[in-house]
Amino acid sequence: MKVGIVANPHKPGAKAALKRLGDVLETSGMEQVYEKATADLIGRSDGLGGLELAETADMFAVLGGDGTMLNAMARLGGTSKPIAGINIGTLGFLTSCTDDEIESFAAALKEGTYSTSRRTLLSARVIREGREPRDFMALNEVVLARGQTGRLVSLSASVSGELLNHYRADGIIVATPTGSTAYSLSAGGPLISPSAEVFVITPICPHTLSQRSLIVDDEAVIELSPDDTSEGPMLFTVDGRDCIEIVARDRVEVRKAPQELNLVRLDGRSFYAALRQKLNWRGG
Amino acid sequence: MKVGIVANPHKPGAKAALKRLGDVLETSGMEQVYEKATADLIGRSDGLGGLELAETADMFAVLGGDGTMLNAMARLGGTSKPIAGINIGTLGFLTSCTDDEIESFAAALKEGTYSTSRRTLLSARVIREGREPRDFMALNEVVLARGQTGRLVSLSASVSGELLNHYRADGIIVATPTGSTAYSLSAGGPLISPSAEVFVITPICPHTLSQRSLIVDDEAVIELSPDDTSEGPMLFTVDGRDCIEIVARDRVEVRKAPQELNLVRLDGRSFYAALRQKLNWRGG
Amino acid sequence: MKVGIVANPHKPGAKAALKRLGDVLETSGMEQVYEKATADLIGRSDGLGGLELAETADMFAVLGGDGTMLNAMARLGGTSKPIAGINIGTLGFLTSCTDDEIESFAAALKEGTYSTSRRTLLSARVIREGREPRDFMALNEVVLARGQTGRLVSLSASVSGELLNHYRADGIIVATPTGSTAYSLSAGGPLISPSAEVFVITPICPHTLSQRSLIVDDEAVIELSPDDTSEGPMLFTVDGRDCIEIVARDRVEVRKAPQELNLVRLDGRSFYAALRQKLNWRGG
Amino acid sequence: MKVGIVANPHKPGAKAALKRLGDVLETSGMEQVYEKATADLIGRSDGLGGLELAETADMFAVLGGDGTMLNAMARLGGTSKPIAGINIGTLGFLTSCTDDEIESFAAALKEGTYSTSRRTLLSARVIREGREPRDFMALNEVVLARGQTGRLVSLSASVSGELLNHYRADGIIVATPTGSTAYSLSAGGPLISPSAEVFVITPICPHTLSQRSLIVDDEAVIELSPDDTSEGPMLFTVDGRDCIEIVARDRVEVRKAPQELNLVRLDGRSFYAALRQKLNWRGG
């Protein structure tokens, strides 16, 4: 078993956690291979680029929070090999454990006492007349939203070729079940269990109050486009990261990606328990 | 083709609409068979009971609104033969057309220019120690909610054996995609396309503000139960209709029913267009 | 300074907290007088009825949570003398401190290092043809809601004689700023600073999604009434406590009460800090 | 009575409506004076600048929708003389009548059968170290929100010197009662009656779900500021119009403006009726 290791070098405590992880994996007799910037952080010169790492390792351990997971996933090119997130400090939605649990994490890897949670990825294509289409991949969501303006924008969404609606809003989100706990939730969307084979389309601050989130099956192809040629450019964002301008007559096509992500889930950890903890749910 | 006809006798205009439907079907050469109360309304003595009608007819035309559809569906015992709702006056979410369109409706039946939209049904079982379990079937939703009290109630939900949460709330709704436009929507839930194979669990006025709707795949078994033996009985409701009391230590198990409903959809009618119209969506 | 003491006898730890409070007040040289059930709890035979206590004491210390405060306020007949809530365990919205702070609480009383936060009360009158009107007083809210039924109810609200709206909903809440953190919040209402001279009218699960909470100035007279004589009785509830049935043609008139409540606020405690703590607000 | 006339020249039908208004006012014996661009539109060369018009006229008739009203209000420099909006086509929240009602509008002016609805204005000051402060006036709202980025921003709000909260959100809105039906409503805020002397602070898509709108009395001074020096500039927007960049260490102070706006309200028109119509409220 060869474990590929990626860390967020800007996270306080990353270096110490990396050392501990390295020691523990070594003790357990598991091979380690490091991503380049991560290797640099602890003075190793044998780091690999993201795609090479994706090729070489059997599974991945990512040190950092949910944002680090999103970045690592992108750098690894959408690998379907198991990925485990080790959060420094608190628990995240994507991470498998905290850095306090590195020992039991390593033991679980060695003994195979973990399962993987399959996560759908979004594939988004930005189409502009007379240009090569540009392709993006998202784990959480893609967003088409107003750019540098204080006004609502006009945009359309269609589902598998059928008009859903014309919106006057701050923008519109298409999220996976995984992304349902991120921006879509802030914009009023529902939570979605990872096993539900759906996407959610959530308008952001729609002018018409009855324009709620819509759940569609994940075989649907969702198209987003600006509606009004007189408005300025909109922003198209992928997992809160890449950011490109969209102008009138551009179209964004969103569908399920052929790849899937496999998140490591330690035995006894549950999605609902994570919801209860992260969202401060209390019962009685 | 034998059309089974059911009407809401209390709806103004039902009698006139029935006559017109009868005439039009006769002209089109289609056989008609009437549900008992419906037959009585127009002076026919050959009406059949619900289950007998379900057996005899090849498809069903229901005159009335969404409420009439829910009632008819229950009386027909959850038939999977095509059902078409003809709304008197306005358009509903479940109905296929309005009474203004009876001619084109009959033509569509005759020529087969319609499709059916498959709708998942919920099967709910109420379990009480020392009693026979009681079974119910819902097209929209089942609800466990506070009874005759001004206070929040304590209740638990689990999904396929795993605790979802303990709630302090007015109650909790489990809805199908079809029911996503009914009570769940009023309680803050999302819209769900009929083709998404999911249920939505929506807490009603939860005390903890982050307790949003949760989407689960429709293979899940959802269990609801009162949490606090010192609170009075709760109400369990099916499609806003049946209403029984639930006490401490009772449990309600909700799962996908083996039957499905097949709603007639005239060609050119779309679910999204119905959303836009019924929810007063406006774009620009 | 004579301190009137009321406790929730059912709260675990009430007896111990009472003893400590008694000792500390005695040490500080402040006179104590007890409500009857509270006196009984610690074996004193000199307890007074609520109204007599309200008359005798200069201020009040209430041991328990927000619910105990609401009850005590009712039993004291809406006194305007300062009331301090001492919560056992956690902090509440109405309480001044926790039982861990009894010493500093007593010191603050003695040295006068506290202010009072004036809280508007609601006066509600239930009017039925041919009967004496019945009057109620609320600190949080009054609610007109569906009774023992699984269906939405029809009801009207008017503001100072002008129709606000006909609703199809689970019910409707009229809340004070103090009550804005209670049931109205669960039903989707806004938070209201205690110094804002307004009420909030919040529909509960309205069928029409654009029917949001409405803020009105607190000189307004709000009238609620059932709209449909064919529906069963509704429930009228005051601070989640009293509960009476309302039938067709009954009316409920809600206005600002002539009395006000004066909550003791220890120096350095802020309403916004309480919001941040109770609602689990986090920034970065 | 001298009526100052302002129109949105880009609105289809503006020219025809202007002519009719001119004719009707002339017939009624009322003097007319035109804003410059408006005069140009109908070939008059005697148009005045906004401030001169504000000085000269006794009241104002504005032809256009709510956006035109916001613009006219700004150009008239926050006059407190009565302003009547005449919407072309539909009814707005700020407008007094539609262009179908010009005759009855003129009659009401002549006979004085109208009242005015006083509307609070916001005064906002943008403060940057080492620069002259910049002042703005808003009828609806001011907004501090993320600029050209796909990420949430970190910002703080304080109320009269006391910290309200640190937010992770798309931005934050401070709105008047008048603005409560505009952007704040889209972001989840409540409706506010014009007579309530409050502002509403509404976070836009806050990361923490319990961060609801807060109502504060309109004597409060609200301060907004970026929280994180490493994030890019934010956008500050006034009534969806002016748009300036705000950087770390800038502060925005928002308070009630000394001026007020007086909207003409024809007798028999009600704020609640406008809500019901504009928000598609339905009862039974």
Side-chain angles (χ1 to χ4, degrees), chain A residues 102-125:
Chain A
I102 284 181
E103 280 77 13
S104 52
F105 168 73
L109 289 205
K110 197 173 178 187
E111 293 155 30
T113 55
Y114 67 90
S115 55
T116 53
S117 173
R118 288 199 324 177
R119 300 303 177 98
T120 305
L121 298 170
L122 285 174
S123 166
R125 169 164 286 192

Side-chain angles (χ1 to χ4, degrees), chain B residues 148 151 170 183 186 206 240 245, chain C residues 148 151 170 183 186 206 240 245:
Chain B
Q148 195 81 353
R151 296 176 186 280
D170 271 4
Y183 191 22
S186 293
E245 289 200 338
Chain C
Q148 193 81 353
R151 295 176 187 282
D170 271 4
Y183 191 23
S186 292
E245 289 200 337

Side-chain angles (χ1 to χ4, degrees), chain A residues 143 145-152 170 181 183 185-187 204-209 235 237 239-241 243 245 279, chain D residues 143 145-152 170 183 185-187 204-209 235 237 239-241 243 245 279:
Chain A
V143 182
R146 65 184 173 76
Q148 193 80 354
T149 167
R151 294 174 187 282
L152 299 190
D170 271 4
T181 55
Y183 191 23
L185 190 65
S186 292
I204 309 168
C205 298
H207 181 256
T208 298
L209 302 184
L235 275 189
T237 316
D239 283 348
R241 206 182 45 230
C243 228
E245 289 201 336
L279 298 177
Chain D
V143 181
R146 66 183 172 76
Q148 195 80 353
T149 166
R151 294 176 188 279
L152 300 189
D170 271 4
Y183 190 25
L185 190 65
S186 292
I204 309 168
C205 299
H207 181 255
T208 297
L209 301 184
L235 275 188
T237 316
D239 283 349
R241 204 181 47 228
C243 230
E245 289 200 338
L279 298 178

Side-chain angles (χ1 to χ4, degrees), chain B residues 71 143 145-152 170 181-183 185-187 204-209 233-235 237 239-241 243 245 279, chain C residues 71 143 145-152 170 181-183 185-187 204-209 233-235 237 239-241 243 245 279:
Chain B
N71 272 312
V143 182
R146 66 183 172 77
Q148 195 81 353
T149 167
R151 296 176 186 280
L152 299 189
D170 271 4
T181 55
Y183 191 22
L185 190 65
S186 293
I204 309 169
C205 298
H207 181 255
T208 297
L209 301 184
M234 298 188 191
L235 275 188
T237 317
D239 284 348
R241 203 183 46 231
C243 231
E245 289 200 338
L279 298 178
Chain C
N71 272 312
V143 181
R146 64 184 172 76
Q148 193 81 353
T149 167
R151 295 176 187 282
L152 300 189
D170 271 4
T181 54
Y183 191 23
L185 190 65
S186 292
I204 308 168
C205 300
H207 182 256
T208 298
L209 301 185
M234 296 188 193
L235 275 189
T237 316
D239 284 347
R241 205 182 45 230
C243 228
E245 289 200 337
L279 298 177

Side-chain angles (χ1 to χ4, degrees), chain C:
Chain C
M1 171 77 76
K2 194 184 284 183
V3 181
I5 298 176
V6 185
N8 177 353
H10 305 301
K11 196 107 177 183
K15 206 167 155 179
L18 265 178
K19 294 254 189 206
R20 263 183 60 221
L21 178 63
D23 292 349
V24 168
L25 289 179
E26 191 164 332
T27 308
S28 306
M30 277 180 286
E31 224 176 315
Q32 305 160 42
V33 50
Y34 287 79
E35 183 267 346
K36 184 128 196 18
T38 308
D40 291 352
L41 191 67
I42 51 169
R44 295 179 67 135
S45 57
D46 59 352
L48 303 178
L51 296 178
E52 202 181 347
L53 188 71
E55 198 67 31
T56 309
D58 300 310
M59 64 172 302
F60 307 90
V62 178
L63 273 158
D66 285 355
T68 311
M69 286 291 281
L70 292 174
N71 272 312
M73 187 273 303
R75 273 184 286 162
L76 295 170
T79 180
S80 65
K81 296 176 183 171
I83 302 188
I86 302 171
N87 210 348
I88 299 175
T90 58
L91 203 66
F93 276 116
L94 299 176
T95 51
S96 305
C97 63
T98 68
D99 57 336
D100 284 346
E101 305 168 297
I102 284 181
E103 281 76 12
S104 52
F105 168 73
L109 288 205
K110 196 174 178 186
E111 293 154 30
T113 55
Y114 66 91
S115 54
T116 53
S117 172
R118 289 197 325 176
R119 301 303 177 98
T120 305
L121 298 169
L122 284 175
S123 166
R125 169 163 286 192
V126 175
I127 298 160
R128 177 172 298 177
E129 189 81 17
R131 278 228 205 151
E132 277 295 287
R134 300 176 61 180
D135 289 313
F136 300 88
M137 199 171 57
L139 173 55
N140 273 346
E141 78 279 296
V142 299
V143 181
L144 185 60
R146 64 184 172 76
Q148 193 81 353
T149 167
R151 295 176 187 282
L152 300 189
V153 291
S154 303
L155 71 181
S156 284
S158 70
V159 179
S160 300
E162 203 177 329
L163 174 69
L164 167 55
N165 196 36
H166 298 285
Y167 293 92
R168 294 274 303 151
D170 271 4
I172 201 159
I173 303 164
V174 181
T176 61
T178 300
S180 73
T181 54
Y183 191 23
S184 174
L185 190 65
S186 292
L191 301 161
I192 308 178
S193 164
S195 64
E197 297 178 328
V198 294
F199 297 135
V200 58
I201 304 172
T202 299
I204 308 168
C205 300
H207 182 256
T208 298
L209 301 185
S210 57
Q211 288 170 351
R212 287 277 179 81
S213 283
L214 173 73
I215 302 289
V216 297
D217 70 274
D218 66 8
E219 296 303 321
V221 179
I222 298 153
E223 190 175 304
L224 308 176
S225 56
D227 246 8
D228 186 335
T229 56
S230 72
E231 294 173 353
M234 296 188 193
L235 275 189
F236 173 70
T237 316
V238 178
D239 284 347
R241 205 182 45 230
D242 301 292
C243 228
I244 66 169
E245 289 200 337
I246 296 290
V247 298
R249 280 179 288 273
D250 289 357
R251 294 179 299 118
V252 182
E253 269 181 23
V254 189
R255 50 165 56 82
K256 186 163 68 173
Q259 310 94 315
E260 282 180 333
L261 201 67
N262 283 288
L263 289 184
V264 168
R265 208 181 88 159
L266 299 188
D267 288 0
R269 304 297 162 97
S270 110
F271 173 69
Y272 302 127
L275 285 186
R276 292 196 301 270
Q277 186 191 336
K278 294 282 292 177
L279 298 177
N280 281 297
W281 286 2
R282 291 157 304 192

